[in-house]
mmCIF file of all heavy atoms in Angstrom:
data_model
loop_
_atom_site.group_PDB
_atom_site.id
_atom_site.type_symbol
_atom_site.label_atom_id
_atom_site.label_comp_id
_atom_site.label_asym_id
_atom_site.label_seq_id
_atom_site.Cartn_x
_atom_site.Cartn_y
_atom_site.Cartn_z
ATOM 1 N N ILE O 217 -8.272 -3.907 -12.943
ATOM 2 C CA ILE O 217 -7.240 -3.796 -11.919
ATOM 3 C C ILE O 217 -5.898 -4.215 -12.510
ATOM 4 O O ILE O 217 -5.818 -5.177 -13.264
ATOM 5 C CB ILE O 217 -7.531 -4.736 -10.719
ATOM 6 C CG1 ILE O 217 -8.929 -4.484 -10.159
ATOM 7 C CG2 ILE O 217 -6.489 -4.559 -9.634
ATOM 8 C CD1 ILE O 217 -9.929 -5.575 -10.462
ATOM 9 N N VAL O 218 -4.858 -3.474 -12.168
ATOM 10 C CA VAL O 218 -3.496 -3.931 -12.435
ATOM 11 C C VAL O 218 -2.940 -4.455 -11.107
ATOM 12 O O VAL O 218 -2.906 -3.716 -10.122
ATOM 13 C CB VAL O 218 -2.582 -2.791 -12.939
ATOM 14 C CG1 VAL O 218 -1.190 -3.339 -13.258
ATOM 15 C CG2 VAL O 218 -3.185 -2.101 -14.155
ATOM 16 N N VAL O 219 -2.567 -5.736 -11.088
ATOM 17 C CA VAL O 219 -2.009 -6.312 -9.859
ATOM 18 C C VAL O 219 -0.578 -6.766 -10.081
ATOM 19 O O VAL O 219 -0.190 -7.153 -11.178
ATOM 20 C CB VAL O 219 -2.798 -7.546 -9.351
ATOM 21 C CG1 VAL O 219 -4.050 -7.131 -8.638
ATOM 22 C CG2 VAL O 219 -3.089 -8.530 -10.459
ATOM 23 N N LYS O 220 0.166 -6.728 -9.006
ATOM 24 C CA LYS O 220 1.521 -7.275 -9.024
ATOM 25 C C LYS O 220 1.466 -8.802 -9.080
ATOM 26 O O LYS O 220 0.537 -9.413 -8.569
ATOM 27 C CB LYS O 220 2.268 -6.861 -7.750
ATOM 28 C CG LYS O 220 2.601 -5.405 -7.664
ATOM 29 C CD LYS O 220 3.721 -5.180 -6.658
ATOM 30 C CE LYS O 220 3.192 -4.706 -5.324
ATOM 31 N NZ LYS O 220 4.266 -4.425 -4.367
ATOM 32 N N LEU O 221 2.464 -9.386 -9.665
ATOM 33 C CA LEU O 221 2.628 -10.840 -9.611
ATOM 34 C C LEU O 221 3.972 -11.116 -8.958
ATOM 35 O O LEU O 221 4.787 -10.217 -8.781
ATOM 36 C CB LEU O 221 2.571 -11.443 -11.015
ATOM 37 C CG LEU O 221 1.248 -11.243 -11.776
ATOM 38 C CD1 LEU O 221 1.378 -11.736 -13.211
ATOM 39 C CD2 LEU O 221 0.104 -11.979 -11.068
ATOM 40 N N GLU O 222 4.186 -12.354 -8.609
ATOM 41 C CA GLU O 222 5.502 -12.694 -8.077
ATOM 42 C C GLU O 222 5.919 -14.078 -8.579
ATOM 43 O O GLU O 222 5.085 -14.829 -9.080
ATOM 44 C CB GLU O 222 5.517 -12.610 -6.556
ATOM 45 C CG GLU O 222 4.623 -13.569 -5.834
ATOM 46 C CD GLU O 222 5.011 -13.606 -4.355
ATOM 47 O OE1 GLU O 222 5.325 -12.534 -3.803
ATOM 48 O OE2 GLU O 222 5.023 -14.694 -3.788
ATOM 49 N N PRO O 223 7.220 -14.384 -8.479
ATOM 50 C CA PRO O 223 7.673 -15.678 -9.011
ATOM 51 C C PRO O 223 7.015 -16.843 -8.263
ATOM 52 O O PRO O 223 6.832 -16.778 -7.052
ATOM 53 C CB PRO O 223 9.187 -15.671 -8.754
ATOM 54 C CG PRO O 223 9.548 -14.254 -8.483
ATOM 55 C CD PRO O 223 8.335 -13.609 -7.902
ATOM 56 N N GLN O 224 6.650 -17.865 -9.018
ATOM 57 C CA GLN O 224 6.219 -19.103 -8.356
ATOM 58 C C GLN O 224 7.402 -19.718 -7.630
ATOM 59 O O GLN O 224 8.528 -19.687 -8.129
ATOM 60 C CB GLN O 224 5.763 -20.116 -9.411
ATOM 61 C CG GLN O 224 4.345 -19.937 -9.870
ATOM 62 C CD GLN O 224 3.915 -21.112 -10.740
ATOM 63 O OE1 GLN O 224 4.610 -21.467 -11.684
ATOM 64 N NE2 GLN O 224 2.771 -21.705 -10.419
ATOM 65 N N ARG O 225 7.132 -20.252 -6.499
ATOM 66 C CA ARG O 225 8.159 -21.042 -5.807
ATOM 67 C C ARG O 225 7.536 -22.409 -5.526
ATOM 68 O O ARG O 225 6.985 -22.643 -4.453
ATOM 69 C CB ARG O 225 8.602 -20.335 -4.528
ATOM 70 C CG ARG O 225 9.428 -19.062 -4.795
ATOM 71 C CD ARG O 225 9.816 -18.364 -3.525
ATOM 72 N NE ARG O 225 8.649 -17.835 -2.870
ATOM 73 C CZ ARG O 225 8.175 -16.608 -3.071
ATOM 74 N NH1 ARG O 225 8.794 -15.782 -3.869
ATOM 75 N NH2 ARG O 225 7.091 -16.220 -2.456
ATOM 76 N N PRO O 226 7.590 -23.275 -6.523
ATOM 77 C CA PRO O 226 6.779 -24.496 -6.458
ATOM 78 C C PRO O 226 7.333 -25.587 -5.540
ATOM 79 O O PRO O 226 6.604 -26.504 -5.192
ATOM 80 C CB PRO O 226 6.753 -24.969 -7.914
ATOM 81 C CG PRO O 226 8.010 -24.434 -8.510
ATOM 82 C CD PRO O 226 8.327 -23.158 -7.791
ATOM 83 N N HIS O 227 8.608 -25.485 -5.174
ATOM 84 C CA HIS O 227 9.206 -26.588 -4.411
ATOM 85 C C HIS O 227 8.968 -26.359 -2.929
ATOM 86 O O HIS O 227 9.667 -25.583 -2.291
ATOM 87 C CB HIS O 227 10.689 -26.709 -4.739
ATOM 88 C CG HIS O 227 10.947 -26.778 -6.210
ATOM 89 N ND1 HIS O 227 10.418 -27.765 -7.016
ATOM 90 C CD2 HIS O 227 11.643 -25.965 -7.041
ATOM 91 C CE1 HIS O 227 10.777 -27.563 -8.268
ATOM 92 N NE2 HIS O 227 11.519 -26.466 -8.319
ATOM 93 N N ARG O 228 7.989 -27.050 -2.395
ATOM 94 C CA ARG O 228 7.471 -26.769 -1.069
ATOM 95 C C ARG O 228 7.623 -27.945 -0.115
ATOM 96 O O ARG O 228 7.624 -29.100 -0.525
ATOM 97 C CB ARG O 228 5.962 -26.452 -1.162
ATOM 98 C CG ARG O 228 5.591 -25.337 -2.113
ATOM 99 C CD ARG O 228 5.900 -23.990 -1.510
ATOM 100 N NE ARG O 228 5.512 -22.888 -2.377
ATOM 101 C CZ ARG O 228 4.496 -22.064 -2.131
ATOM 102 N NH1 ARG O 228 3.760 -22.235 -1.042
ATOM 103 N NH2 ARG O 228 4.217 -21.067 -2.954
ATOM 104 N N ALA O 229 7.699 -27.613 1.152
ATOM 105 C CA ALA O 229 7.581 -28.634 2.195
ATOM 106 C C ALA O 229 6.661 -28.072 3.265
ATOM 107 O O ALA O 229 6.628 -26.866 3.502
ATOM 108 C CB ALA O 229 8.945 -28.976 2.776
ATOM 109 N N THR O 230 5.901 -28.970 3.882
ATOM 110 C CA THR O 230 4.850 -28.562 4.806
ATOM 111 C C THR O 230 5.013 -29.336 6.111
ATOM 112 O O THR O 230 5.334 -30.524 6.093
ATOM 113 C CB THR O 230 3.471 -28.873 4.179
ATOM 114 O OG1 THR O 230 3.427 -28.318 2.871
ATOM 115 C CG2 THR O 230 2.338 -28.304 5.015
ATOM 116 N N ALA O 231 4.790 -28.652 7.208
ATOM 117 C CA ALA O 231 4.876 -29.333 8.503
ATOM 118 C C ALA O 231 3.749 -28.852 9.408
ATOM 119 O O ALA O 231 3.244 -27.742 9.262
ATOM 120 C CB ALA O 231 6.231 -29.049 9.162
ATOM 121 N N LEU O 232 3.371 -29.715 10.328
ATOM 122 C CA LEU O 232 2.525 -29.318 11.446
ATOM 123 C C LEU O 232 3.381 -29.427 12.696
ATOM 124 O O LEU O 232 4.081 -30.422 12.886
ATOM 125 C CB LEU O 232 1.307 -30.236 11.569
ATOM 126 C CG LEU O 232 0.023 -29.854 10.842
ATOM 127 C CD1 LEU O 232 -1.050 -30.908 11.104
ATOM 128 C CD2 LEU O 232 -0.492 -28.488 11.282
ATOM 129 N N MET O 233 3.352 -28.405 13.526
ATOM 130 C CA MET O 233 4.145 -28.404 14.753
ATOM 131 C C MET O 233 3.229 -28.146 15.939
ATOM 132 O O MET O 233 2.299 -27.345 15.833
ATOM 133 C CB MET O 233 5.191 -27.293 14.720
ATOM 134 C CG MET O 233 6.160 -27.387 13.571
ATOM 135 S SD MET O 233 7.364 -26.025 13.667
ATOM 136 C CE MET O 233 8.257 -26.330 12.145
ATOM 137 N N GLY O 234 3.534 -28.774 17.040
ATOM 138 C CA GLY O 234 2.794 -28.499 18.264
ATOM 139 C C GLY O 234 3.468 -27.367 19.031
ATOM 140 O O GLY O 234 4.679 -27.388 19.268
ATOM 141 N N VAL O 235 2.679 -26.333 19.357
ATOM 142 C CA VAL O 235 3.254 -25.198 20.098
ATOM 143 C C VAL O 235 2.370 -24.892 21.307
ATOM 144 O O VAL O 235 1.155 -25.103 21.280
ATOM 145 C CB VAL O 235 3.385 -23.938 19.215
ATOM 146 C CG1 VAL O 235 4.430 -24.126 18.132
ATOM 147 C CG2 VAL O 235 2.039 -23.566 18.594
ATOM 148 N N ALA O 236 3.027 -24.376 22.352
ATOM 149 C CA ALA O 236 2.287 -24.078 23.580
ATOM 150 C C ALA O 236 1.425 -22.830 23.415
ATOM 151 O O ALA O 236 0.325 -22.740 23.961
ATOM 152 C CB ALA O 236 3.259 -23.889 24.744
ATOM 153 N N ASP O 237 1.920 -21.878 22.628
ATOM 154 C CA ASP O 237 1.220 -20.593 22.540
ATOM 155 C C ASP O 237 1.691 -19.817 21.322
ATOM 156 O O ASP O 237 2.571 -20.271 20.574
ATOM 157 C CB ASP O 237 1.461 -19.782 23.822
ATOM 158 C CG ASP O 237 2.930 -19.743 24.191
ATOM 159 O OD1 ASP O 237 3.785 -19.842 23.270
ATOM 160 O OD2 ASP O 237 3.240 -19.635 25.385
ATOM 161 N N ALA O 238 1.090 -18.643 21.135
ATOM 162 C CA ALA O 238 1.417 -17.816 19.966
ATOM 163 C C ALA O 238 2.865 -17.322 20.020
ATOM 164 O O ALA O 238 3.532 -17.222 18.985
ATOM 165 C CB ALA O 238 0.463 -16.628 19.878
ATOM 166 N N MET O 239 3.380 -17.031 21.229
ATOM 167 C CA MET O 239 4.763 -16.570 21.335
ATOM 168 C C MET O 239 5.723 -17.609 20.766
ATOM 169 O O MET O 239 6.702 -17.273 20.103
ATOM 170 C CB MET O 239 5.125 -16.274 22.794
ATOM 171 C CG MET O 239 4.578 -14.960 23.323
ATOM 172 S SD MET O 239 4.955 -13.522 22.285
ATOM 173 C CE MET O 239 6.612 -13.136 22.883
ATOM 174 N N THR O 240 5.450 -18.871 21.060
ATOM 175 C CA THR O 240 6.299 -19.939 20.507
ATOM 176 C C THR O 240 6.172 -19.980 18.987
ATOM 177 O O THR O 240 7.176 -20.101 18.275
ATOM 178 C CB THR O 240 5.875 -21.294 21.101
ATOM 179 O OG1 THR O 240 5.804 -21.179 22.521
ATOM 180 C CG2 THR O 240 6.861 -22.383 20.720
ATOM 181 N N ALA O 241 4.948 -19.868 18.521
ATOM 182 C CA ALA O 241 4.738 -19.876 17.075
ATOM 183 C C ALA O 241 5.504 -18.733 16.413
ATOM 184 O O ALA O 241 6.147 -18.904 15.369
ATOM 185 C CB ALA O 241 3.245 -19.760 16.763
ATOM 186 N N LEU O 242 5.468 -17.565 17.043
ATOM 187 C CA LEU O 242 6.161 -16.406 16.469
ATOM 188 C C LEU O 242 7.675 -16.601 16.468
ATOM 189 O O LEU O 242 8.366 -16.158 15.551
ATOM 190 C CB LEU O 242 5.784 -15.133 17.238
ATOM 191 C CG LEU O 242 4.325 -14.705 17.059
ATOM 192 C CD1 LEU O 242 3.962 -13.588 18.031
ATOM 193 C CD2 LEU O 242 4.067 -14.255 15.619
ATOM 194 N N ALA O 243 8.183 -17.296 17.500
ATOM 195 C CA ALA O 243 9.624 -17.578 17.540
ATOM 196 C C ALA O 243 10.009 -18.523 16.401
ATOM 197 O O ALA O 243 11.047 -18.350 15.749
ATOM 198 C CB ALA O 243 10.001 -18.165 18.901
ATOM 199 N N VAL O 244 9.158 -19.517 16.149
ATOM 200 C CA VAL O 244 9.404 -20.429 15.014
ATOM 201 C C VAL O 244 9.424 -19.622 13.716
ATOM 202 O O VAL O 244 10.308 -19.787 12.868
ATOM 203 C CB VAL O 244 8.303 -21.526 14.948
ATOM 204 C CG1 VAL O 244 8.440 -22.333 13.660
ATOM 205 C CG2 VAL O 244 8.367 -22.429 16.168
ATOM 206 N N ILE O 245 8.455 -18.751 13.569
ATOM 207 C CA ILE O 245 8.322 -17.950 12.348
ATOM 208 C C ILE O 245 9.545 -17.055 12.139
ATOM 209 O O ILE O 245 10.098 -16.982 11.035
ATOM 210 C CB ILE O 245 7.030 -17.105 12.416
ATOM 211 C CG1 ILE O 245 5.812 -18.027 12.282
ATOM 212 C CG2 ILE O 245 7.010 -16.016 11.356
ATOM 213 C CD1 ILE O 245 4.500 -17.394 12.709
ATOM 214 N N ARG O 246 9.969 -16.396 13.210
ATOM 215 C CA ARG O 246 11.161 -15.524 13.089
ATOM 216 C C ARG O 246 12.363 -16.331 12.629
ATOM 217 O O ARG O 246 13.106 -15.915 11.746
ATOM 218 C CB ARG O 246 11.468 -14.861 14.429
ATOM 219 C CG ARG O 246 10.853 -13.486 14.589
ATOM 220 C CD ARG O 246 11.523 -12.695 15.704
ATOM 221 N NE ARG O 246 11.418 -13.376 16.982
ATOM 222 C CZ ARG O 246 10.341 -13.311 17.774
ATOM 223 N NH1 ARG O 246 9.283 -12.602 17.401
ATOM 224 N NH2 ARG O 246 10.301 -13.950 18.925
ATOM 225 N N ARG O 247 12.545 -17.507 13.223
ATOM 226 C CA ARG O 247 13.665 -18.359 12.863
ATOM 227 C C ARG O 247 13.606 -18.755 11.391
ATOM 228 O O ARG O 247 14.596 -18.659 10.659
ATOM 229 C CB ARG O 247 13.634 -19.600 13.775
ATOM 230 C CG ARG O 247 14.607 -20.684 13.399
ATOM 231 C CD ARG O 247 16.064 -20.252 13.648
ATOM 232 N NE ARG O 247 16.924 -21.411 13.562
ATOM 233 C CZ ARG O 247 17.493 -21.979 14.614
ATOM 234 N NH1 ARG O 247 17.340 -21.478 15.823
ATOM 235 N NH2 ARG O 247 18.251 -23.054 14.477
ATOM 236 N N LEU O 248 12.439 -19.180 10.957
ATOM 237 C CA LEU O 248 12.305 -19.644 9.572
ATOM 238 C C LEU O 248 12.466 -18.506 8.574
ATOM 239 O O LEU O 248 12.996 -18.697 7.484
ATOM 240 C CB LEU O 248 10.947 -20.335 9.375
ATOM 241 C CG LEU O 248 10.791 -21.665 10.136
ATOM 242 C CD1 LEU O 248 9.365 -22.192 9.998
ATOM 243 C CD2 LEU O 248 11.789 -22.709 9.635
ATOM 244 N N ARG O 249 12.012 -17.321 8.955
ATOM 245 C CA ARG O 249 12.136 -16.188 8.026
ATOM 246 C C ARG O 249 13.583 -15.764 7.862
ATOM 247 O O ARG O 249 13.952 -15.188 6.846
ATOM 248 C CB ARG O 249 11.301 -14.993 8.509
ATOM 249 C CG ARG O 249 9.823 -15.279 8.446
ATOM 250 C CD ARG O 249 9.017 -14.012 8.580
ATOM 251 N NE ARG O 249 8.973 -13.296 7.309
ATOM 252 C CZ ARG O 249 8.196 -12.252 7.085
ATOM 253 N NH1 ARG O 249 7.420 -11.795 8.040
ATOM 254 N NH2 ARG O 249 8.198 -11.657 5.923
ATOM 255 N N ALA O 250 14.404 -16.015 8.889
ATOM 256 C CA ALA O 250 15.802 -15.591 8.826
ATOM 257 C C ALA O 250 16.692 -16.637 8.162
ATOM 258 O O ALA O 250 17.861 -16.384 7.891
ATOM 259 C CB ALA O 250 16.307 -15.298 10.239
ATOM 260 N N LEU O 251 16.145 -17.796 7.873
ATOM 261 C CA LEU O 251 16.923 -18.909 7.321
ATOM 262 C C LEU O 251 17.319 -18.617 5.874
ATOM 263 O O LEU O 251 16.457 -18.334 5.043
ATOM 264 C CB LEU O 251 16.027 -20.162 7.355
ATOM 265 C CG LEU O 251 16.600 -21.483 7.827
ATOM 266 C CD1 LEU O 251 17.250 -21.332 9.187
ATOM 267 C CD2 LEU O 251 15.504 -22.532 7.859
ATOM 268 N N PRO O 252 18.621 -18.709 5.551
ATOM 269 C CA PRO O 252 18.998 -18.456 4.152
ATOM 270 C C PRO O 252 18.596 -19.621 3.251
ATOM 271 O O PRO O 252 18.573 -20.769 3.679
ATOM 272 C CB PRO O 252 20.522 -18.324 4.225
ATOM 273 C CG PRO O 252 20.932 -19.064 5.452
ATOM 274 C CD PRO O 252 19.786 -19.003 6.411
ATOM 275 N N GLY O 253 18.247 -19.295 2.006
ATOM 276 C CA GLY O 253 18.008 -20.339 1.009
ATOM 277 C C GLY O 253 16.598 -20.905 0.982
ATOM 278 O O GLY O 253 16.259 -21.656 0.074
ATOM 279 N N VAL O 254 15.781 -20.600 1.978
ATOM 280 C CA VAL O 254 14.381 -21.023 1.935
ATOM 281 C C VAL O 254 13.485 -19.821 2.230
ATOM 282 O O VAL O 254 13.941 -18.827 2.792
ATOM 283 C CB VAL O 254 14.066 -22.168 2.932
ATOM 284 C CG1 VAL O 254 14.859 -23.425 2.597
ATOM 285 C CG2 VAL O 254 14.327 -21.728 4.366
ATOM 286 N N THR O 255 12.242 -19.934 1.828
ATOM 287 C CA THR O 255 11.293 -18.834 2.016
ATOM 288 C C THR O 255 10.079 -19.343 2.786
ATOM 289 O O THR O 255 9.510 -20.376 2.418
ATOM 290 C CB THR O 255 10.841 -18.296 0.639
ATOM 291 O OG1 THR O 255 12.009 -17.920 -0.103
ATOM 292 C CG2 THR O 255 9.934 -17.085 0.796
ATOM 293 N N LEU O 256 9.709 -18.621 3.820
ATOM 294 C CA LEU O 256 8.492 -18.989 4.548
ATOM 295 C C LEU O 256 7.286 -18.589 3.715
ATOM 296 O O LEU O 256 7.153 -17.420 3.325
ATOM 297 C CB LEU O 256 8.456 -18.298 5.912
ATOM 298 C CG LEU O 256 7.236 -18.639 6.778
ATOM 299 C CD1 LEU O 256 7.233 -20.108 7.188
ATOM 300 C CD2 LEU O 256 7.170 -17.748 8.015
ATOM 301 N N GLU O 257 6.422 -19.561 3.414
ATOM 302 C CA GLU O 257 5.280 -19.315 2.537
ATOM 303 C C GLU O 257 3.967 -19.215 3.298
ATOM 304 O O GLU O 257 3.008 -18.628 2.811
ATOM 305 C CB GLU O 257 5.167 -20.442 1.497
ATOM 306 C CG GLU O 257 6.404 -20.615 0.625
ATOM 307 C CD GLU O 257 6.560 -19.507 -0.407
ATOM 308 O OE1 GLU O 257 5.615 -18.726 -0.590
ATOM 309 O OE2 GLU O 257 7.632 -19.419 -1.030
ATOM 310 N N ALA O 258 3.894 -19.821 4.451
ATOM 311 C CA ALA O 258 2.647 -19.768 5.214
ATOM 312 C C ALA O 258 2.926 -20.142 6.662
ATOM 313 O O ALA O 258 3.823 -20.951 6.953
ATOM 314 C CB ALA O 258 1.614 -20.725 4.623
ATOM 315 N N ALA O 259 2.170 -19.531 7.559
ATOM 316 C CA ALA O 259 2.257 -19.845 8.979
ATOM 317 C C ALA O 259 0.859 -19.660 9.560
ATOM 318 O O ALA O 259 0.425 -18.541 9.801
ATOM 319 C CB ALA O 259 3.266 -18.922 9.672
ATOM 320 N N GLU O 260 0.172 -20.754 9.730
ATOM 321 C CA GLU O 260 -1.227 -20.724 10.148
ATOM 322 C C GLU O 260 -1.340 -21.462 11.478
ATOM 323 O O GLU O 260 -0.870 -22.587 11.617
ATOM 324 C CB GLU O 260 -2.087 -21.432 9.090
ATOM 325 C CG GLU O 260 -2.046 -20.766 7.720
ATOM 326 C CD GLU O 260 -2.817 -19.452 7.684
ATOM 327 O OE1 GLU O 260 -3.886 -19.390 8.304
ATOM 328 O OE2 GLU O 260 -2.307 -18.484 7.061
ATOM 329 N N MET O 261 -1.974 -20.802 12.441
ATOM 330 C CA MET O 261 -2.088 -21.426 13.759
ATOM 331 C C MET O 261 -3.530 -21.829 14.046
ATOM 332 O O MET O 261 -4.475 -21.116 13.695
ATOM 333 C CB MET O 261 -1.584 -20.458 14.831
ATOM 334 C CG MET O 261 -1.530 -21.061 16.222
ATOM 335 S SD MET O 261 -0.381 -20.128 17.288
ATOM 336 C CE MET O 261 -0.985 -20.613 18.928
#
Side-chain angles (χ1 to χ4, degrees):
Chain O
I217 306 108
V218 182
V219 281
K220 291 200 260 183
L221 298 173
E222 64 166 39
Q224 277 189 309
R225 290 178 293 269
H227 308 301
R228 305 283 182 109
T230 309
L232 269 180
M233 301 181 184
V235 292
D237 49 28
M239 283 308 276
T240 310
L242 292 170
V244 171
I245 289 164
R246 266 198 301 278
R247 171 69 167 253
L248 292 174
R249 293 194 80 171
L251 224 53
V254 297
T255 304
L256 181 65
E257 302 287 349
E260 298 287 321
M261 186 159 159

